[in-house]
Amino acid sequence: MAIESRPFGRTQDGTAVTCWTITNRSGGYVSVLDYGCILQAIAPALPGRQPLDVVMGFSDPAGYEAAGGFIGATVGRCANRIIGGSFRLNGRSYPLFCNEGKNHLHGGRIGFSKRMWTVTPGLNENSLRLTLFSPDGEEGYPGNLWVHVTLTFTDSNELCFDTDAVSDADTVFNLTNHSYFDLNGGFTEASACAQTLWADAPFYTPVNTDGLVDGTLRPTAGTVFDFSRETALASRLAQENVQLASVGGFDHNLVFAPGDGPKAVLKGLATGLRMEFFTQSPGMQLYSGNYLRVSTGKGSTPYGRRSGICLEPQFFPNSINQPQFPAPVLRANIPYHNRTLYRFCAG
């Protein structure tokens, strides 16, 4: 095992960025930036195979800043949309910065995805700990919040994403990672959509024509959101469907069934590489990269629409304003912990 760091360039405001890489004994590696806690590379190395980088990313900070799309970033305080840009907590209303029309998205104007995190060694030789402090009132949220993300990459090609947090006042907290996956490694629409998905998700949260959740749950059975059997994403995206048409493809929250075991499995049809996805979060935003901008990624790879698929573990969109949904409320001085694990294996 080895952990190395290297300069990664500077942001537009001149801040120096560092890239940290964990390499396992098989030669697989995971790279993370202190800028945005961005997963810049995830490259498992299975027996008899060379490492294959399976996430979109860039070679310098300018690439991330120009492309948008939260590529690879860790987003918060609250991932996804808060409709109307405000919420009520303990009888008080909190207005937030609206960075998507009249709505608050992925933490606001300068969310966690644009902040500099402090990187220290983890507890083991194969882990790193990234820490962020978010002061009371930042982007409109109450409470001084301390966040720790511990990344562990094992010799078995398992990437563990542990989140720990504590606040000195009740607040909203819904952290996720926004990586775009292509287990075929091509990062074109044809390649990324030539992946299959299985998900243990009996319900989804439908959206209106404006792409915002309507506050209900609907069964996935018999719909384009039914992934109870391994299903090719391309075939689903080709279907005519009102829900898909409203957001240009998948941009929907799947509601997981309770219980242990994998919550989703993504597989590359060309490579046979599988990613088993475990999480303690109640849902997952399935996003097919419908609005990705044209850009040039690592290795001069051209990116565009649907170049990668997001599986974002989370509380449901706008759940702080929907009492029937699980509430993403972090109570004062009560430690929070959540684990998401990505297990890569031959399929």
Side-chain angles (χ1 to χ4, degrees):
M1 302 293 299
I3 296 179
E4 299 177 333
S5 64
R6 62 182 174 87
F8 196 74
R10 294 182 179 270
T11 61
Q12 290 178 350
D13 66 6
T15 302
V17 177
T18 300
C19 179
W20 296 77
T21 299
I22 307 169
T23 303
N24 68 16
R25 290 183 174 84
S26 300
Y29 58 91
V30 169
S31 295
V32 62
L33 308 182
D34 53 5
Y35 170 63
C37 192
I38 290 171
L39 290 175
Q40 192 263 350
I42 302 176
L46 301 184
R49 302 190 189 189
Q50 293 297 312
L52 177 67
D53 194 351
V54 296
V55 291
M56 292 177 62
F58 297 92
S59 300
D60 54 38
Y64 289 98
E65 292 176 312
F70 303 93
I71 294 172
T74 298
V75 298
R77 284 190 194 190
C78 187
N80 219 304
R81 294 166 179 86
I82 296 179
I83 297 175
S86 69
F87 64 89
R88 290 186 65 81
L89 182 62
N90 299 333
R92 178 180 171 184
S93 181
Y94 291 91
L96 305 173
F97 186 89
C98 294
N99 57 321
E100 189 191 52
K102 297 181 179 179
N103 307 304
H104 177 85
L105 174 67
H106 288 331
R109 182 175 64 92
I110 305 178
F112 294 177
S113 60
K114 297 181 179 67
R115 296 280 307 279
M116 296 300 298
W117 296 60
T118 300
V119 183
T120 55
L123 295 176
N124 304 307
E125 63 177 356
N126 58 345
S127 67
L128 289 167
R129 182 176 172 91
L130 292 93
T131 300
L132 182 70
F133 172 67
S134 177
D136 177 45
E138 185 173 50
E139 298 293 330
Y141 291 99
N144 292 297
L145 175 72
W146 290 261
V147 184
H148 306 279
V149 170
T150 302
L151 297 174
T152 305
F153 187 52
T154 72
D155 289 335
S156 301
N157 292 294
E158 294 180 339
L159 172 61
C160 191
F161 191 106
D162 281 301
T163 302
D164 293 277
V166 67
S167 173
D168 64 1
D170 290 359
T171 192
V172 172
F173 185 65
N174 182 23
L175 194 84
T176 195
N177 183 265
H178 207 292
S179 289
Y180 291 78
F181 291 92
D182 180 1
L183 302 185
N184 295 311
F187 299 105
T188 64
E189 180 171 358
S191 178
C193 293
Q195 298 181 94
T196 62
L197 178 67
W198 171 88
D200 187 14
F203 296 94
Y204 75 101
T205 51
V207 298
N208 293 310
T209 54
D210 57 6
L212 302 175
V213 292
D214 64 12
T216 66
L217 298 181
R218 292 184 192 170
T220 56
T223 74
V224 294
F225 304 102
D226 185 354
F227 292 100
S228 57
R229 295 185 178 182
E230 190 176 293
T231 304
L233 290 168
S235 64
R236 289 290 171 82
L237 288 165
Q239 295 184 29
E240 292 187 9
N241 178 273
V242 172
Q243 284 289 309
L244 298 186
S246 66
V247 290
F250 288 115
D251 194 3
H252 295 79
N253 172 67
L254 302 181
V255 179
F256 291 134
D260 298 326
K263 298 300 183 184
V265 177
L266 191 67
K267 177 182 175 181
L269 290 173
T271 61
L273 181 63
R274 288 165 52 92
M275 182 179 76
E276 298 176 352
F277 175 86
F278 301 75
T279 185
Q280 295 170 305
S281 297
M284 173 187 79
Q285 190 79 2
L286 172 62
Y287 178 48
S288 50
N290 314 312
Y291 303 112
L292 281 169
R293 303 172 191 169
V294 173
S295 58
T296 301
K298 297 171 290 190
S300 300
T301 302
Y303 295 150
R305 178 176 181 262
R306 294 183 180 167
S307 290
I309 303 296
C310 291
L311 307 179
E312 306 163 54
Q314 59 167 11
F315 284 90
F316 310 162
N318 199 41
S319 55
I320 188 59
N321 291 321
Q322 302 288 346
Q324 69 276 24
F325 289 169
V329 175
L330 177 59
R331 296 298 179 186
N333 302 312
I334 297 179
Y336 168 93
H337 177 77
N338 183 285
R339 169 169 287 185
T340 295
L341 185 140
Y342 309 86
R343 176 184 293 159
F344 297 93
C345 53

